[in-house]
Amino acid sequence: MPGPPRPGPPPGAGRPRPAAPAVPPPVPLAAPITPVTPGETVAVPPSSVPVASADPGRWGRVDAEGTIYVRTADGERMVGSWQAGAPEEGLAHFARRFDDMLTEVELLAARLTAGGGDPKNALSSAKTLRDALPDATVVGDVVGLAARLDELVQQAEQAVGAARSARDAQRTAAIARKEALAAEAETLAAEATQWKQAGDRLKAILDEWRTIRGIDRKTDEQLWKRFSKAREGFNRRRGSHFADLDRQRSAAKARKEELVLEAEKLSDSDDWGPTAARFRDLMAEWKAAGRAQKDADDALWQRFRTAQDAFFARRSETFAERDAEFAANAEAKKALLLEAEKIDTSDPTAARAALRAVQERWEEIGKVPRDDIRPLEARLRAVEEKVREAADRQWRRTDPEAEARVAQFRERVSQFEAQAEKARAAGDTRRAEQAQNQADQWREWLATAEQAVQQR
């Protein structure tokens, strides 16, 4: 290597010299170095390629004419010339250019190692740097840098492959998820009957659908058609259901209006039994009619209940009055029974007269509560049996009067049968039954008397 310039006129004195270094334009790099804020320190991982500026003469030389050479695996290669100062400054200048390139390579390596950025861009940058290196106007370990770039290209290719695999996996997962969502939507469209819950679920599916990315356009459009068709099918089926429901509710409203009108007409009826039975039937028909719209259904139901309650309130009031009357009748008959049970049967004729008076007053009292009928009737029958037995005993004691008694018994039978017939004609079944029972009893006595006469 030539030594420092000697004093005296520089080489080429007397010839015009350029005002600036004659340096060939650098080969464009793949991407500019990441900008650094003044004063900021960028941590670059240690490189296997040495920094050229520490010893530029190790990697190149400058001749007496200022021509700069770099040593390569194939020998020296001219990279430029330096005419603006000491030759060593020119060598250092091209060494710094190498270091800049090395810094860019190592920053690219750091990004690849950290997994930042797009691997495809990194691969493209690494290849561009590697392709530009044979003609780069730099002085440094170009052989080592070439090997380093080969490593980076290989590493970037692996990263590109991994990214592609990740994208493929993501795409597969995204397709599978949208297929599952489309299948769920199709199931809802075909089977769902809980319309509110199903509609909310379809909205949630749509929200999730919009967040799923990474599917090719053709596949995504096919899946969207499935989902969209299912959603439209669900909306049609739901609309048809509610249309049918509206028709059913309209029919239910019309039917319930008819039932309400009939109930309002019946509310003034005094025919308690048949009307109460009809109200029970109306209630069954009301339930069978189904539901109308809520507001209309509630209003109709209020009218129906008002009519029904009015009828049953009147019936209850009437029955309460009747029950009070029947209860009073029962008490009166109990008092009459106490009197009848004290009849003195030692004089059968007087006893029969007293019994007839009791029986007449008994009929005049009227009806009693249902639960009191049998006990009271049983007590009266016991008194009647007691008087009859006394009469029998007297009849047996006064045999000469048997014929007269027979005539009397016939007369009594006729009287009671006439009373029974009159009561039946008047529609008084109760009084007719009682008169007929008395006629039957007197007929038994008549038979006994006739038998006694025949056996005298």
Side-chain angles (χ1 to χ4, degrees), residues 55-340:
D55 187 8
R58 178 182 174 187
W59 311 106
R61 70 180 181 86
V62 56
D63 62 12
E65 298 297 323
T67 301
I68 309 297
Y69 297 90
V70 62
R71 298 185 182 91
T72 70
D74 299 326
E76 290 185 340
R77 175 173 63 83
M78 185 184 75
V79 296
S81 64
W82 186 263
Q83 303 294 329
E88 289 77 8
E89 293 178 359
L91 193 62
H93 169 75
F94 286 97
R96 285 193 298 272
R97 290 174 64 88
F98 177 86
D99 290 347
D100 291 341
M101 190 174 188
L102 176 60
T103 298
E104 184 175 1
V105 170
E106 295 306 330
L107 287 174
L108 181 60
R111 286 196 296 271
L112 279 172
T113 301
D118 184 358
K120 289 182 65 176
N121 290 339
L123 176 61
S124 176
S125 297
K127 286 183 175 179
T128 300
L129 288 169
R130 186 179 64 178
D131 293 343
L133 185 59
D135 297 321
T137 56
V138 297
V139 172
D141 186 5
V142 292
V143 176
L145 187 56
R148 178 64 168 155
L149 284 169
D150 287 339
E151 293 175 0
L152 286 182
V153 168
Q154 183 178 6
Q155 183 179 356
E157 288 174 343
Q158 292 174 353
V160 169
R164 183 181 299 110
S165 298
R167 285 195 302 273
D168 290 344
Q170 180 183 4
R171 175 179 178 276
T172 300
I175 291 174
R177 182 55 185 156
K178 283 197 173 181
E179 286 177 341
L181 293 175
E184 183 182 355
E186 289 167 344
T187 300
L188 290 173
E191 302 175 3
T193 56
Q194 299 295 322
W195 306 109
K196 175 65 168 61
Q197 294 88 329
D200 291 343
R201 179 55 190 154
L202 284 173
K203 290 179 182 177
I205 289 176
L206 179 59
D207 291 340
E208 182 180 353
W209 189 284
R210 290 169 174 167
T211 65
I212 300 173
R213 299 286 187 270
I215 303 178
D216 62 279
R217 181 187 296 273
K218 180 179 179 181
T219 303
D220 200 48
E221 288 179 350
Q222 291 174 347
L223 291 171
W224 172 253
K225 287 179 181 178
R226 282 183 59 189
F227 172 73
S228 181
K229 181 180 178 181
R231 187 171 59 165
E232 291 173 359
F234 170 81
N235 289 335
R236 283 195 303 272
R237 198 161 64 88
R238 180 174 60 179
S240 176
H241 166 77
F242 283 108
D244 291 341
L245 189 60
D246 286 342
R247 286 191 292 271
Q248 294 171 9
R249 287 174 173 172
S250 297
K253 180 182 177 183
R255 178 57 183 147
K256 286 185 174 181
E257 286 174 343
E258 295 174 357
L259 297 176
V260 166
L261 291 175
E262 183 176 354
E264 290 173 341
K265 291 178 181 178
L266 291 174
S267 64
D268 294 330
S269 173
D270 294 332
D271 194 3
W272 308 117
T275 303
R278 181 54 187 155
F279 265 112
R280 288 192 294 271
D281 293 341
L282 288 178
M283 179 63 73
E285 293 175 25
W286 183 279
K287 294 178 179 178
R291 287 190 60 83
Q293 292 288 346
K294 187 177 187 308
D295 293 344
D297 202 69
D298 290 346
L300 289 170
W301 173 246
Q302 186 61 41
R303 287 176 59 190
F304 181 85
R305 283 298 302 271
T306 298
Q308 185 183 51
D309 291 347
F311 167 78
F312 283 104
R314 290 176 49 253
R315 189 185 73 159
S316 296
E317 182 179 355
T318 301
F319 282 9
E321 294 174 356
R322 187 186 67 179
D323 290 344
E325 178 185 350
F326 284 5
N329 292 344
E331 294 300 320
K333 285 189 174 183
K334 288 177 183 178
L336 186 59
L337 282 171
L338 292 176
E339 179 182 338

